[in-house]
């Protein structure tokens, strides 16, 4: 199992993603440069990491969306291979149309950096198969634009097709308004594409993969993929 | 070939709550600007474009707005076009 982590100018969670996949999860990992035009064929999962690609100019993810590597990322996804967008990576995926909707400014207008709770909503996906249905995870968020929005019809489809991977909840697993940190519709924290091979999520699983840091709740995202690819 | 200056205003779509606009509206009300309502906050982009005529220029800029400058899922854009002489800066 090999992860390819895209480095854009302004990415700042790329090394965390590399550490989580290679050290914590024990997979192979390789950095990919945003100017690359191909994804090496041995890469099973491309990670679009968190950060502030291109300084968040224009809109978060709007410039990264047109960087050279994104055509290759699109092809990679079209071939049914895996793409994981975390935080800014999620924003890039919505800007590029690989996932529906947009990430609006947080309702509080504040940049929020804290641990939150997530409820695992869909465990049949390659990104979540090692979790239990409804499993509550404690994962950090760090964003100013994480307020997931899509039109009513899109939300209806996402809900009906069970493409909400994670929802913000309280410590007991209740997806309440109080437990929603940014105003996301239906407490949505992460969604899957229609084929289930692309996941975008605002929380940072790569920041909670090492027990030495006190929390390894995020590790399951990477080990799920490794189990799916079958080399775990 | 003619040259135009495009003045583009981008605002959040009406169906989306503009939290920043609401906050400014409250601030205005609390400083006695009580006759002001419906504050919407957006972005302003200015650029030059060369095209055969205004219609073509408008079409190019509109296309650019729909593809990159604005995100149609959450934003509306309005373009005002003005012909300029060659070499004139926006």
């Amino acid at each position: 199992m090999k992860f390819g982590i895209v480095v854009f100018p302004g990415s700042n969670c790329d090394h965390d993603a590399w550490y989580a996949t290679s050290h914590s999860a024990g997979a192979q990992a390789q950095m990919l440069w945003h100017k690359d035009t191909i994804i090496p064929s041995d890469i099973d999962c491309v990670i679009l990491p968190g950060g502030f690609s291109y300084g968040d100019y224009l809109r978060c993810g709007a410039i990264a969306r047109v960087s050279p590597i994104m055509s290759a990322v699109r092809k990679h996804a079209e071939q049914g291979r895996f793409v994981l967008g975390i935080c800014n990576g999620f924003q890039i995926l919505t800007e590029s149309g690989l996932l529906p909707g947009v990430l609006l400014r947080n309702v509080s207008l504040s940049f929020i950096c804290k641990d939150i709770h997530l409820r695992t909503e869909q465990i049949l996906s390659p990104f979540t198969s090692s979790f239990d249905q409804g499993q509550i995870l404690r994962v950090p968020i760090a964003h100013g634009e994480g307020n997931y929005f899509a039109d009513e019809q899109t939300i209806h489809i996402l809900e009906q097709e069970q493409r909400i991977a994670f929802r913000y909840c309280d410590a007991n697993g209740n997806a309440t308004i109080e437990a929603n940190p940014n105003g996301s519709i239906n407490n949505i924290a992460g969604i899957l594409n229609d084929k289930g091979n692309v996941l975008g999520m605002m929380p940072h699983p790569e920041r909670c993969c090492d027990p030495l840091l006190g929390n390894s709740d995020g590790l399951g995202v990477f080990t799920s993929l490794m189990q799916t690819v079958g080399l775990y | 070939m003619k040259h135009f200056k495009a003045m583009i205003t981008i605002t959040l779509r009406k169906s989306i709550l503009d939290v920043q606009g609401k906050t400014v509206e409250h601030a205005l009300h609390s400083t006695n600007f009580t006759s002001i309502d419906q504050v919407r906050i957006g972005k302003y982009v200015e650029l030059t474009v060369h095209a055969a005529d205004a219609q073509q220029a408008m079409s190019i800029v509109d296309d650019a707005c729909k593809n990159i400058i604005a995100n149609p899922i959450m934003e509306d854009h309005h373009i005002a076009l003005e012909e300029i002489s060659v070499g004139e800066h926006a």
Side-chain angles (χ1 to χ4, degrees):
Chain A
M1 168 83 201
K2 193 167 185 180
F3 290 89
I5 300 148
V6 179
V7 183
F8 296 100
S11 293
N12 65 9
C13 300
D14 43 345
H15 278 267
D16 284 1
W18 178 81
Y19 183 87
T21 50
S22 60
H23 281 247
S24 303
Q28 287 182 282
Q30 174 186 337
M31 305 310 253
L32 304 171
W33 187 231
H34 67 108
K35 286 186 176 169
D36 292 351
T37 51
I38 52 159
I39 307 285
S41 59
D42 61 340
I43 300 288
D44 301 293
C45 178
V46 170
I47 297 181
L48 303 181
F52 301 85
S53 58
Y54 299 90
D56 277 353
Y57 290 175
L58 193 60
R59 291 178 308 279
C60 307
I63 310 294
R65 192 264 279 182
V66 294
S67 67
I69 201 164
M70 285 309 292
S71 301
V73 172
R74 185 179 296 278
K75 273 186 209 146
H76 184 85
E78 281 166 4
Q79 289 163 358
R81 295 193 283 164
F82 305 116
V83 179
L84 168 61
I86 301 168
C87 197
N88 187 224
F90 186 11
Q91 294 162 340
I92 297 167
L93 288 174
T94 57
E95 278 288 338
S96 61
L98 283 165
L99 287 173
V102 287
L103 282 312
L104 299 172
R105 190 97 182 259
N106 294 344
V107 163
S108 64
L109 297 177
S110 303
F111 185 96
I112 305 168
C113 183
K114 64 174 185 181
D115 280 6
I116 48 83
H117 290 97
L118 292 178
R119 191 172 71 202
T120 313
E121 300 284 284
Q122 170 56 276
I123 58 163
L124 298 177
S125 92
F127 303 90
T128 54
S129 56
S130 69
F131 295 118
D132 295 326
Q133 184 68 36
Q135 187 173 338
I136 301 162
L137 313 171
R138 189 164 58 88
V139 181
I141 55 166
H143 60 247
E145 285 88 3
N147 174 1
Y148 184 76
F149 172 86
D151 61 55
E152 225 170 283
Q153 196 193 351
T154 305
I155 296 293
H156 180 72
I157 292 169
L158 288 173
E159 292 284 1
Q160 203 166 40
E161 295 181 354
Q162 299 180 310
R163 285 162 52 191
I164 316 293
F166 300 105
R167 239 184 266 275
Y168 299 110
C169 67
D170 62 21
N172 298 314
N174 302 306
T176 60
I177 293 173
E178 295 73 29
N180 184 341
N182 51 30
S184 288
I185 291 182
N186 295 2
N187 286 43
I188 290 172
I191 58 165
L192 294 153
N193 69 339
D194 52 354
K195 286 184 193 155
N197 63 320
V198 178
L199 169 70
M201 61 189 295
M202 288 311 296
H204 287 272
E206 83 286 9
R207 292 191 188 179
C208 50
C209 286
D210 191 330
L212 274 177
L213 300 175
N215 180 5
S216 52
D217 283 6
L219 189 61
V221 171
F222 306 103
T223 54
S224 295
L225 280 161
M226 291 160 72
Q227 283 165 2
T228 304
V229 172
L231 296 176
Y232 185 55
Chain B
M1 195 62 77
K2 293 177 175 174
H3 290 72
F4 300 88
K5 180 166 93 174
M7 292 151 282
I8 306 160
T9 314
I10 301 159
T11 47
L12 278 175
R13 288 177 62 177
K14 288 274 186 284
S15 57
I16 294 177
L17 175 67
D18 179 358
V19 188
Q20 202 177 173
K22 273 280 172 243
T23 306
V24 172
E25 191 177 305
H26 289 148
L28 287 163
H29 288 176
S30 65
T31 43
N32 289 327
F33 290 101
T34 50
S35 56
I36 294 176
D37 280 310
Q38 315 266 341
V39 180
R40 309 279 298 170
I41 293 184
K43 277 183 252 184
Y44 175 72
V45 178
E46 209 174 75
L47 52 85
T48 62
V49 55
H50 56 271
D53 53 33
Q55 195 184 355
Q56 192 192 28
M58 183 59 98
S59 161
I60 294 168
V61 177
D62 190 52
D63 203 25
C65 284
K66 285 174 181 159
N67 277 286
I68 296 179
I69 297 171
N71 182 336
I73 300 173
M74 63 171 170
E75 293 167 330
D76 288 326
H77 65 272
H78 175 263
I79 304 162
L81 213 56
E82 172 185 297
E83 190 171 346
I84 56 172
S85 55
V86 183
E88 187 183 331
H89 290 289

